[in-house]
Amino acid sequence: MFKIFNSGYHTHLTLNIHACYATSSSSFYGFVSIQHIPLSSINHKFEPIAQKKDRLIVYNKTDLAHPDTEAAITKAFREFKGQDVVFTNADQDVNVKGIIKYLAKKAKVSGTASEKELTTMVMVVGMPNVGKSSLINSLRRIGVKKGKAAPTGAIPGITRTVAGTIKVLDSPKVYLIDTPGVMIPHIADPISAIKVALTGAISDHLSDEEVIADYLLFQLNQAQDYGYLKLYNIKEPTDDIKVFLPQVAKYIGALKKGGEYNLPAAAQFLIKQYRLGKLGRFTLDDIQPESLEEFLTKETEDSVSRRQQKKADKIEERKIKRQIQQQKWEEREQAKL
């Protein structure tokens, strides 16, 4: 998710990037996510940082999501979060001009110096392989008419260190900072974990690719999209991955020594086909209105509950310290007698 919010330049950039570009400056954080898992790709660890900030949410890779996703997500975020949402395919520069206009507008509103002196910093943060670097390159390509500045690739972890600043707009000056993908240490929900792995945020060698392929087959059948029959020359639909993968292996000629079907290779091929959009446009998360409302309102309630719990813990801690101090005082007074 790409979330941009206005803050004090020297108070929120946490990676020691504080170059003195201008006498007056502002900063934003950018959180990047992908549209075909609009909920599962939200990193909840970032949410406390972003609270009470002015944010623009930009979902990348729109070409892989179901066409109905845009309207459903836009309506839900506006209703339950009070936030605008932009959808983009950074590789094709879709809606990138709108993001640049937003950045320019926010820079002018937040600055106190003249436009020539004003500088805005944008730190881009998100899960691995959601298209952060691609979005930066697209913004640079449209904003200052210059070529690629951030390395990109189909596997997670291409960006491994915080890079220098990348200019994407001249007047007012807007610079972006690319950062490595940050994965949630533990995804409690196993289905969400599979969705994240299927979209490539987790390195394939760390995942069970046949399990991921099984989930993909489930999604295809649930959507009643049987295009894979013609695509891989299969006679009839099946929900059995042990039946499906050998047929895919046969189609692509994936054989081990002795003529045995190479099922891991078939699973890898199937996952790659999905990521390239060859299997159609699918949104893996439930985007029904009631499901979106439950997710977004629960997210807010959980955040409030965590803050309340933290406050209660501090109060209890102070109470215990006072009790200990009182007990020590009483012991000292008793010793004097």
Side-chain angles (χ1 to χ4, degrees):
M1 183 182 301
F2 186 78
K3 301 178 181 176
I4 305 171
F5 50 87
N6 185 12
S7 63
Y9 176 43
H10 291 289
T11 59
H12 287 284
L13 287 182
T14 58
L15 297 180
N16 298 322
I17 302 171
H18 297 293
C20 296
Y21 289 97
T23 58
S24 177
S25 57
S26 60
S27 68
F28 302 94
Y29 284 93
F31 293 120
V32 182
S33 189
I34 39 181
Q35 188 174 335
H36 47 311
I37 49 170
L39 306 181
S40 298
S41 58
I42 294 176
N43 190 332
H44 297 284
K45 296 295 183 181
F46 291 141
E47 289 306 300
I49 301 173
Q51 285 171 4
K52 299 181 181 179
K53 304 297 180 181
D54 183 19
R55 298 183 282 178
L56 172 69
I57 302 174
V58 182
Y59 278 103
N60 194 26
K61 302 185 180 181
T62 59
D63 55 316
L64 297 179
H66 191 281
D68 291 345
T69 307
E70 184 170 336
I73 293 295
T74 298
K75 183 176 184 296
F77 270 89
R78 189 170 294 163
E79 182 175 352
F80 301 114
K81 292 289 189 178
Q83 296 177 340
D84 291 326
V85 185
V86 175
F87 299 86
T88 183
N89 176 8
D91 290 335
Q92 302 296 324
D93 298 335
V94 176
N95 284 344
V96 170
K97 287 184 179 179
I99 301 172
I100 294 234
K101 289 180 180 178
Y102 178 85
L103 287 172
K105 181 179 179 181
K106 294 302 295 182
K108 293 174 184 178
V109 169
S110 60
T112 56
S114 67
E115 189 171 307
K116 290 183 179 180
E117 295 174 322
L118 183 65
T119 296
T120 297
M121 304 295 292
V122 181
M123 179 173 281
V124 182
V125 186
M127 285 187 179
N129 208 31
V130 295
K132 298 184 298 297
S133 296
S134 295
L135 182 58
I136 286 175
N137 289 331
S138 181
L139 290 166
R140 176 178 167 86
R141 192 162 50 242
I142 298 297
V144 293
K145 312 298 182 186
K146 292 186 178 180
K148 185 175 180 180
T152 60
I155 60 174
I158 294 294
T159 305
R160 295 186 177 274
T161 60
V162 176
T165 55
I166 301 167
K167 183 188 285 188
V168 296
L169 199 59
D170 284 316
S171 181
K173 294 183 182 69
V174 176
Y175 291 84
L176 305 186
I177 304 167
D178 198 7
T179 63
V182 181
M183 176 53 65
I184 301 172
H186 174 67
I187 303 177
D189 178 23
I191 300 300
S192 293
I194 291 175
K195 292 175 184 178
V196 170
L198 177 55
T199 55
I202 301 173
S203 296
D204 291 337
H205 71 277
L206 299 176
S207 312
D208 188 330
E209 290 164 329
E210 292 185 42
V211 170
I212 297 172
D214 191 8
Y215 177 75
L216 175 57
L217 177 62
F218 163 76
Q219 284 282 355
L220 292 171
N221 288 330
Q222 188 177 54
Q224 297 183 344
D225 190 323
Y226 304 116
Y228 63 82
L229 299 178
K230 184 178 180 180
L231 196 60
Y232 305 129
N233 195 26
I234 297 174
K235 292 183 178 179
E236 58 183 6
T238 177
D239 60 0
D240 189 342
I241 196 65
K242 294 181 180 178
V243 173
F244 183 60
L245 281 183
Q247 295 181 77
V248 175
K250 179 181 178 181
Y251 175 79
I252 63 175
L255 302 174
K256 295 181 178 180
K257 289 183 179 180
E260 181 183 355
Y261 290 124
N262 189 334
L263 301 187
Q268 292 168 10
F269 171 80
L270 192 66
I271 293 168
K272 185 176 181 180
Q273 290 277 287
Y274 166 76
R275 292 173 184 167
L276 292 173
K278 303 295 184 183
L279 296 175
R281 300 176 63 179
F282 294 94
T283 297
L284 303 178
D285 287 332
D286 187 352
I287 58 170
Q288 294 298 315
E290 58 274 13
S291 298
L292 289 171
E293 178 180 0
E294 180 182 1
F295 181 90
L296 294 175
T297 53
K298 182 178 184 298
E299 182 186 46
T300 302
E301 290 167 359
D302 288 348
S303 178
V304 171
S305 297
R306 284 193 295 269
R307 291 199 302 272
Q308 291 174 339
Q309 183 61 50
K310 189 175 181 179
K311 183 177 180 180
D313 289 343
K314 286 183 177 180
I315 293 173
E316 183 65 21
E317 184 180 351
R318 289 195 293 267
K319 181 179 178 181
I320 292 172
K321 285 182 178 179
R322 285 195 298 269
Q323 289 175 345
I324 293 173
Q325 290 172 350
Q326 178 68 22
Q327 183 178 354
K328 288 181 178 179
W329 181 84
E330 290 176 354
E331 290 175 352
R332 285 196 301 267
E333 292 297 312
Q334 186 69 28
K336 292 177 181 179
L337 298 178

